[in-house]
């Protein structure tokens, strides 16, 4: 056999991994090249995969996670060993916490050396470190097991409650060769990766019974509901019940925020006064004050229905009177079917009271949004962006910060499902550019990233990535010179500035210009909206430095209560 024909009949680890991913419709990789996966990235690109190289693994990981959320297919993040792996691990843990499906694939050092702790290049027992931070973790040592490894990773990521999966690939695996035909036979095309989970009929009947007899019912939609892509049925269900609903932040737009049943503008009242609360793909975690305390009615006076794919989520914070366990698509369609044709109208006194509260709150807010006060504050700057999203409802809004997050969440109405991507369950900073990049790549839609100046700093270097791939991303940095605000002073009077203060009057717009994108400084709501509209029309990478009053902003935004403050006065 000539060397040539022999090479045609062989395959290796590199190619088997690529083939296994492609066989399962996974055609995009977010990563950072380096040892031992540099050639893997090259070969994947050569094989027709989209390989997006980032400047830091955390942002590649966040990109993969949000790609998973948007597509229901696991997003793939590829990193080098030890430090690169650890950088990606933050995103893997965040994805798992948020129930986003992703697979972190990291190259690793040789087992023999790592296990004897003989000091290999970037030696680290990555599998052991990854395990507590993800839903499942696997290592593949032999080329013939690559198909199984990828199949298991896909199933673990997307079935049941979605989450992050770690796949450890030691350097030696990539170069292992085997007969190409035999290798092909080891690959697995995963059938029905996220099987439907049909709820038990009696659980559906129990839930409907409770809901039907409620005097002050409330529905809360969470990002699990948005993830499920059962948009039409969810809307039909909410509308057929006539019950007021609250969207959690990433569920905004599942029904348009302007929907008459939206109770967002009366949030505090409905949480306190509802007698029956139905959670659909939302957890009673800290974002809902754990279902108890002063946000809610007196303990035991409110009953909960929870629709969720994870049976163990039930009773995690308060008693769940009617658990409905299954995938949201199946659950909501069973609920709709079970309602029959004679569903009672929602109690009018309850609805009337909510509507009154809503109108007052909305009127008060509108006045603030139109104010022309300068320098801009969060309200009039966000007033401009609210109008832009109204005119461009299919744009994707990425949002992080403290005050920038809180205000944007309540001010900017969303009109379509899965268009709002934000800090999620952890309230984590640093998701901004990773989410924006993946949103542009996965959907092809224009992206508007609304970022606090502090939040932007965590992933700011990825503006180079945005320019390199020429993505239709418009970043607006709400620049108030610091964390929370820019006015803190060093209590000692020393030369160092206060811990929360940044360089005054920084020009973040110049960062985008440095890489060939468009940079704009905006000091008025008009300038801001002109610049955003131009960016969205042109599709060119743009960064707008929106100058916000440095006195605007409160400590930790709306979660200041979580930030312990010392009451001890030093003598
Ligand atoms: P939010 O932050 O919007 O309140 P959470 O992330 O707290 O949302 O809750 C999402 C919930 O949705 C999780 O408990 C998760 O198990 C559930 N979930 C995710 N995907 C599905 C699905 N396809 N079907 C049913 N439940 C789902
Ligand atoms: Mg700030």
């Amino acid at each position: 056999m000539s060397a040539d024909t022999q090479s045609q009949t062989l395959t290796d680890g590199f190619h088997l991994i690529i083939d296994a991913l492609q066989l399962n419709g996974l055609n995009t990789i977010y990563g950072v090249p380096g040892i031992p996966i540099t050639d893997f990235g090259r070969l994947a690109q050569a094989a027709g995969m989209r390989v997006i190289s980032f400047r830091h693994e955390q942002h590649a990981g966040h990109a993969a996670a949000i790609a998973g959320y948007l597509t229901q297919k696991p997003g793939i993040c590829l990193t080098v060993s030890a430090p690169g792996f650890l950088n990606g691990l933050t995103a893997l843990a965040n994805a798992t916490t948020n129930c986003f499906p992703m697979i972190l694939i990291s190259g690793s050092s040789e087992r023999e050396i790592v296990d004897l702790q003989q000091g290999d290049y970037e030696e680290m027992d990555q599998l052991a470190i990854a395990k507590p931070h993800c839903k499942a973790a696997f290592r593949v040592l032999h080329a013939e097991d690559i198909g199984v490894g990828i199949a298991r990773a896909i199933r673990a990521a997307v079935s049941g409650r979605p989450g992050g999966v770690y796949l450890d690939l030691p350097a030696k695996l990539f170069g292992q060769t085997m007969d190409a035909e035999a290798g092909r036979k080891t690959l697995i095309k995963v059938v029905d990766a996220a099987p439907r989970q049909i709820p038990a009929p009696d659980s559906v009947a129990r839930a409907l019974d409770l809901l039907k007899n409620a005097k002050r019912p409330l529905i809360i939609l969470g990002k699990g509901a948005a993830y499920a892509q059962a948009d039409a049925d969810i809307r039909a269900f909410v509308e057929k019940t006539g019950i007021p609903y609250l969207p959690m932040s990433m569920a905004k737009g599942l029904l348009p925020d302007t929907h008459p049943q939206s109770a967002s503008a009366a949030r505090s009242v409905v949480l306190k006064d509802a007698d029956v609360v139905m959670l659909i793909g939302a957890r009673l975690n800290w974002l809902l004050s754990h279902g108890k305390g002063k946000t809610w009615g007196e303990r035991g006076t409110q009953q909960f229905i929870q629709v969720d794919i994870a049976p163990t989520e039930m009773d995690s914070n308060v008693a769940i009177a009617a658990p409905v366990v299954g995938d949201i698509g199946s659950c909501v369609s069973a609920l709709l079917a079970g309602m029959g044709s004679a569903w009672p109208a929602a109690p009018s006194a309850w609805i009337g009271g909510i509507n009154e509260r809503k109108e007052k709150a909305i009127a008060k807010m509108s006045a603030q949004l139109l104010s022309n006060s300068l320098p801009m504050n969060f309200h009039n700057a966000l007033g401009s962006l609210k109008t832009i999203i109204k005119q461009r409802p299919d744009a994707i809004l990425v949002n992080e910060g403290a005050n920038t997050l809180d205000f944007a969440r309540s001010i900017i109405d969303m009109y379509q499902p899965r268009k709002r991507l934000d800090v999620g369950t952890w309230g984590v900073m640093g998701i901004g550019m990773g989410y924006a990049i993946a949103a542009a790549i996965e959907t092809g839609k224009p992206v508007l990233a609304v970022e606090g100046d502090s939040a932007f700093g965590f992933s700011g270097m990825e503006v180079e990535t945005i320019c390199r791939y020429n993505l239709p991303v418009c970043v607006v940095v709400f620049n108030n010179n610091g964390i929370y605000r820019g006015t803190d002073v060093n209590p000692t009077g020393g030369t160092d500035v206060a811990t929360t203060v940044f360089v005054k009057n920084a020009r973040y717009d110049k960062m985008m210009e440095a890489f060939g994108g468009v940079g704009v400084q905006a000091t008025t709501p008009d300038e801001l909206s002109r610049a955003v509209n131009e960016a969205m029309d042109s599709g060119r990478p743009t960064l707008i430095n929106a100058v916000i009053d440095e006195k605007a902003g409160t400590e930790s935004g709306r979660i200041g209560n979580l930030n312990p403050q010392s009451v001890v006065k030093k003598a």
Side-chain angles (χ1 to χ4, degrees), residues 211-492:
L211 198 63
K212 196 177 202 165
N213 293 308
K215 303 219 161 26
R216 296 178 308 280
L218 172 69
I219 294 172
I220 299 180
L221 300 173
K223 62 180 165 326
Y227 174 80
Q229 300 195 14
D231 310 333
D233 270 2
I234 289 171
R235 181 165 184 164
F237 174 71
V238 172
E239 289 182 341
K240 197 167 165 188
T241 64
I243 293 172
Y245 74 93
L246 281 181
M248 299 301 288
S249 68
M250 282 178 62
K252 279 165 66 76
L254 203 44
L255 281 77
D257 281 330
T258 48
H259 195 283
Q261 283 170 256
S262 167
S264 292
R267 189 175 193 273
S268 56
V269 175
V270 290
L271 290 178
K272 223 176 175 47
D273 292 350
D275 63 344
V276 172
V277 178
M278 179 181 216
L279 300 154
I280 305 182
R283 286 171 286 187
L284 281 176
N285 55 18
W286 70 280
L287 288 159
L288 284 169
S289 310
H290 305 283
K292 56 200 175 195
K294 55 184 190 318
T295 305
W296 293 86
E298 199 185 319
R299 191 95 186 256
T301 60
Q302 299 181 300
Q303 286 188 290
F304 291 91
I305 301 166
Q306 186 160 24
V307 181
D308 204 289
I309 203 158
T312 50
E313 185 57 37
M314 308 299 157
D315 303 331
S316 57
N317 286 273
V318 298
I320 301 299
V324 181
V325 175
D327 74 272
I328 282 169
S330 301
C331 291
V332 172
S333 85
L335 286 161
L336 261 174
M339 286 172 82
S341 48
W343 188 263
S348 58
W350 172 234
I351 306 288
I354 295 170
N355 286 344
E356 229 170 81
R357 295 282 303 211
K358 263 176 69 173
E359 278 158 30
K360 271 191 211 142
I362 291 171
K364 189 174 157 206
M365 175 77 91
S366 327
Q368 289 174 300
L369 300 184
L370 291 173
S371 126
N372 250 329
S373 71
L374 294 176
M376 287 190 285
N377 53 40
F378 289 98
H379 284 94
N380 58 8
L382 286 166
S384 297
L385 302 183
K386 175 190 171 99
T387 307
I388 286 167
I389 293 294
K390 186 175 181 187
Q391 290 160 348
R392 303 171 186 267
D394 68 339
I396 293 184
L397 180 72
V398 172
N399 188 201
E400 63 177 333
N403 295 278
T404 306
L405 176 86
D406 291 336
F407 286 117
R409 184 177 53 230
S410 55
I411 291 171
I412 302 180
D413 288 329
M414 304 306 296
Y415 299 86
Q416 295 178 12
R418 294 171 297 283
K419 298 295 187 189
R420 184 184 156 85
L421 310 175
D422 68 25
V423 301
T425 305
W426 267 349
V428 72
M429 296 297 116
I431 50 88
M433 298 305 101
Y435 281 12
I437 289 166
I441 298 227
E442 300 290 336
T443 70
K445 303 283 186 207
V447 177
L448 176 62
V450 180
E451 304 268 317
D453 51 346
S454 155
F456 174 71
F458 289 78
S459 65
M461 191 63 211
E462 301 296 345
V463 296
E464 190 275 332
T465 311
I466 293 171
C467 289
R468 185 163 17 106
Y469 295 102
N470 195 24
L471 299 173
V473 174
C474 173
V475 183
V476 179
V477 174
F478 274 48
N479 186 356
N480 65 353
N481 293 346
I483 301 172
Y484 310 131
R485 59 183 170 260
T487 49
D488 278 10
V489 288
N490 179 341
T492 70

Side-chain angles (χ1 to χ4, degrees), residues 95-106:
T96 306
T97 301
N98 281 280
C99 317
F100 298 158
M102 75 172 277
I103 303 173
L104 174 67
I105 301 180
S106 294

